[in-house]
Amino acid sequence: MTEQALKALLDSMTLEEKAGQLVQCNAGMFIANELAITGPDGEPLPAEELCRVMGSVLTFEDAEQAKALQDMHLASDPKQIPLLLMLDVIHGLRTTYPIPLAMGCSFDDDLMTECADMARRESSACGVHVTFNPMVDTARDARWGRILETNSEEPLLNSRMGAALVRATQGDDLSNPENVACCVKHFAAYGAGEAGRDYNGVELSERSLMQDYLPAYKACLDAGARLIMPSFNSLNGVPSVANKKLMIDLLRKEWGFEGIVISDYNAVGELVNHGIAADMKDAARLAMEAECDIDMVQCAYYQHLADLVRERTVSEATVDAAVMRVLKLKNELGLFEHPYHGADEEKEREVYLCAEHREIARRAAEESAVLLKNEGILPFRKDVKRIALIGPFAEETRLNGFWSRPGAERYTVTLPEGIRNLLPDAELNIVRGCGANFEDTETAGIAEAVRVAAGADVVILAVGEPEDYSGEGRSRAELSLPGPQMQLIREVTAANRNTAVLLFNGRPLVLTELTETVPAILEMWYPGTEAGNAAARLLWGEANPCGKLSAGLPRSVGQYPMPYNRMNTGRPKPLPDDRAVPFSSCYLDMPNLPLYSFGYGLSYTSFTYESLITSERTLKENGEIQVTITVQNTGNTAGKETVQLYMRDPVASVVRPVQQLIDYRKISLRPGERAEVVFTVREEQLRFYNMEGREVSERGEIRLSTGYADHLILTESIEII
Ligand code: GLC
């Protein structure tokens, strides 16, 4: 449709029809599906009336349902305005790739692009118009269950991976039925909830907000994301969905965002719980005044917006602007002409779980796994005869993560399947040994596990945190392995030292005792559909682990928040970190540093960092220099290495972090091969927000290093002049 036609359509709409365009309902209200709704139940709503006027639906199952929903709505809508169909496709639709926190460990933007492109193909065939993705909330506290859903604790890594996903998902023309629009979320700073508790209030300084929490949203909007979702939390006292400073001053005016703002699930109605709205009508007013365009579920807008306009409490122009943004996206997607967009049952059968997609998912699972420890145990020998596979995850199918699509476990390649695919002739003995739930206390099965372990050539301990222990509404106050898993691990490892642990979890866990007990640990996160094949290939060296931690792993939950880009304090704790130092910033009972730091990860080979050389010693405003880091594969196996570049600004007008990632690049090296990795460092990459909130860099020394967080090497200084 032309702009004029859209305007004419808007002018023809009644107030109720305009309000309806700003309402999103659960598809399950109109068509039976097995999908879990993604929020609390609310009051029953008038389905028939809503079906006629609503502008969008969320959470449907497949192309058949997508078409049925569109048909159902268009059959009752006199204005023939097609629905927007939205879905949470966070890391794969039917072919599930690793959780985002694991993808961050790959440090591979191109791999992220491949995975997002795969998800786009499956999502468009399913009939998805908008995916509620990427989630790029900076998360520095693993008590928060949604840390699994973001790529990293690190703003730059989150920014680059989020933007890569947006570009791959949206393509260059949304009217192409194979492309899907992105909704970046959750704006803003949802990951900084007090005490690591989901939905909790967030109090942040402007500088921390701008330095660490906002960049990734901005990067995704700059990459073209058409929608953004305000977060549930209050930010410095005002819930995001009603936060004019965030939603109008920053998002609309300063960033110039002209796309759609869609609330999170009943976040408008929840303004009453927050205590800033007296009732649902007041909530609708506050959200509309903050230019929140779409009210997701529970329909505060449906029930009150028309009245608010009639009472002149809310201007019709504000409502019209919101409706026009919705109509424009529908028009850009080509829905007026092709309301089904990419929905295609035949295409679903063709692309879902196809060999190409499985290969991508398997490679992603391999490249996001992090080898935390390896005392000469891995890789196992291929001529092994007797394998013991032990633990509550030994035969687990739920290795996909909280935001995998419901039913994903039906398609998971389990560990036994993966091992048998690789070593069909080896003897494989499987013993569960114990449970992995909080309430599991039974340890009778451990004896059998010990017996089988003792008689094996190699032992695989498959342990972790159940899939539904992380994700939305899944915060934990402790981060230990649930149930009697550590007892199982201790007794099995005592029976056979040739043991490697496979860890399945959605958040950083406290692995202090595990690390002291076992000789090898492979952090698999929730690797998705190809879990078993990836794990087997990693264990036996068909794939060489190359993941680097996208978030540090704590020694204790008491260390949180534990950002890698921490401040030095006026009394920094002198090294070594293993003992308290009076009158320094330290703990009496624990080292300061994480157990495993951001950017850490081992390989089956070894890499030697030989030099870091800068092309210039000085850097002018808007100038750039080249930094060349020479790395050699000094081992006897080919491998991939993520070369990381860090900065430190030792003296500035505000305190600056002891380390800040400013670039990274993943390289592949054969044994003995040497590479010169050249980074271009632009002056603007070194800028920060000063006391006045302006983004500046200041004259003076900048230290550039490589290695990984808390283990920086080859430091060279340049000077900003
Ligand atoms: C949920 C989540 C959000 C998701 C939305 C729709 O509550 O907070 O990330 O996209 O509802 O399912």
Side-chain angles (χ1 to χ4, degrees), residues 158-229:
N158 248 340
S159 299
R160 282 176 43 175
M161 294 213 122
L165 188 144
V166 170
R167 286 189 292 269
T169 306
Q170 294 194 152
D172 52 16
D173 174 4
L174 281 178
S175 68
N176 176 338
E178 292 202 344
N179 290 337
V180 175
C182 283
C183 175
V184 61
K185 66 189 186 183
H186 306 79
F187 190 59
Y190 181 27
E194 194 171 82
R197 248 194 350 266
D198 208 350
Y199 314 118
N200 213 353
V202 171
E203 291 291 331
L204 279 176
S205 70
E206 283 302 305
R207 184 175 312 109
S208 179
L209 189 60
M210 293 189 289
Q211 198 80 46
D212 294 318
Y213 289 86
L214 293 178
Y217 306 115
K218 181 74 166 51
C220 293
L221 295 180
D222 290 347
R226 295 300 197 276
L227 303 92
I228 191 166
M229 182 187 293

Side-chain angles (χ1 to χ4, degrees), residues 368-374 378-379 501 520-523 544-548 596 600-605:
S368 53
V370 183
L371 183 60
L372 297 176
K373 184 177 182 183
N374 186 24
L378 294 175
V501 165
I521 306 171
L522 195 52
E523 172 60 86
N544 184 357
C546 59
K548 304 288 185 184
Y596 296 108
Y600 168 81
L602 299 176
S603 168
Y604 292 151
T605 189

Side-chain angles (χ1 to χ4, degrees), residues 38 58 88 132 146 185-186 229 232 264-265 296 472:
T38 51
L58 80 153
D88 293 288
F132 297 117
R146 297 193 77 166
K185 66 189 186 183
H186 306 79
M229 182 187 293
F232 287 119
D264 204 335
Y265 201 102
M296 181 192 291
E472 183 171 351

Side-chain angles (χ1 to χ4, degrees), residues 174-429:
L174 281 178
S175 68
N176 176 338
E178 292 202 344
N179 290 337
V180 175
C182 283
C183 175
V184 61
K185 66 189 186 183
H186 306 79
F187 190 59
Y190 181 27
E194 194 171 82
R197 248 194 350 266
D198 208 350
Y199 314 118
N200 213 353
V202 171
E203 291 291 331
L204 279 176
S205 70
E206 283 302 305
R207 184 175 312 109
S208 179
L209 189 60
M210 293 189 289
Q211 198 80 46
D212 294 318
Y213 289 86
L214 293 178
Y217 306 115
K218 181 74 166 51
C220 293
L221 295 180
D222 290 347
R226 295 300 197 276
L227 303 92
I228 191 166
M229 182 187 293
S231 52
F232 287 119
N233 57 283
S234 61
L235 177 59
N236 297 334
V238 183
S240 302
V241 77
N243 193 320
K244 291 181 182 176
K245 189 175 177 194
L246 190 68
M247 301 258 279
I248 296 179
D249 298 347
L250 178 66
L251 180 65
R252 296 288 188 197
K253 291 180 180 170
E254 187 175 333
W255 289 0
F257 179 62
E258 295 179 348
I260 293 174
V261 173
I262 179 169
S263 83
D264 204 335
Y265 201 102
N266 192 34
V268 174
E270 288 173 5
L271 293 175
V272 178
N273 296 337
H274 277 289
I276 68 157
D279 52 30
M280 288 292 264
K281 186 172 184 180
D282 203 21
R285 172 184 65 80
L286 288 167
M288 184 47 63
E289 285 176 354
E291 297 189 12
C292 174
D293 299 318
I294 296 178
D295 169 21
M296 181 192 291
V297 186
Q298 295 320 323
C299 303
Y301 282 6
Y302 172 69
Q303 290 156 351
H304 301 292
L305 208 47
D307 291 343
L308 286 165
V309 171
R310 288 193 186 94
E311 296 160 9
R312 300 186 183 288
T313 307
V314 168
S315 77
E316 187 159 6
T318 302
V319 173
D320 285 354
V323 176
M324 183 51 87
R325 286 189 281 266
V326 173
L327 296 178
K328 278 183 174 176
L329 180 61
K330 294 182 176 186
N331 197 41
E332 188 182 4
L333 284 158
L335 296 181
F336 286 98
E337 294 78 21
H338 306 288
Y340 292 166
H341 198 52
D344 181 332
E345 293 88 333
E346 181 56 38
K347 197 77 176 291
E348 285 181 301
R349 284 188 288 275
E350 177 194 325
V351 299
Y352 286 178
L353 295 167
C354 65
E356 180 196 353
H357 289 184
R358 281 184 175 277
E359 192 275 335
I360 294 169
R362 196 210 73 237
R363 212 162 10 96
E366 289 166 2
E367 303 227 358
S368 53
V370 183
L371 183 60
L372 297 176
K373 184 177 182 183
N374 186 24
E375 289 174 344
I377 300 293
L378 294 175
F380 290 142
R381 294 167 54 93
K382 294 282 288 282
D383 61 359
V384 67
K385 294 287 179 286
R386 292 168 303 169
I387 304 166
L389 174 57
I390 293 169
F393 288 76
E395 298 181 283
E396 181 58 73
T397 57
R398 294 179 352 125
L399 302 174
N400 297 289
F402 178 87
W403 283 106
S404 56
R405 297 305 313 153
E409 69 279 359
R410 294 199 285 266
Y411 314 103
T412 308
V413 176
T414 61
L415 290 175
E417 289 165 338
I419 294 168
R420 290 191 176 107
N421 287 340
L422 187 67
L423 300 172
D425 302 328
E427 177 190 317
L428 180 60
N429 295 308

Side-chain angles (χ1 to χ4, degrees), residues 153 551-556 559 562-564 566 577 591-598 709-711:
E153 67 163 295
L553 304 187
R555 297 171 191 275
S556 157
Q559 291 181 299
M562 186 188 65
Y564 88 97
R566 63 184 178 278
D577 183 31
N592 286 9
L593 295 181
L595 182 64
Y596 296 108
S597 295
F598 170 80
D710 308 323
H711 300 77

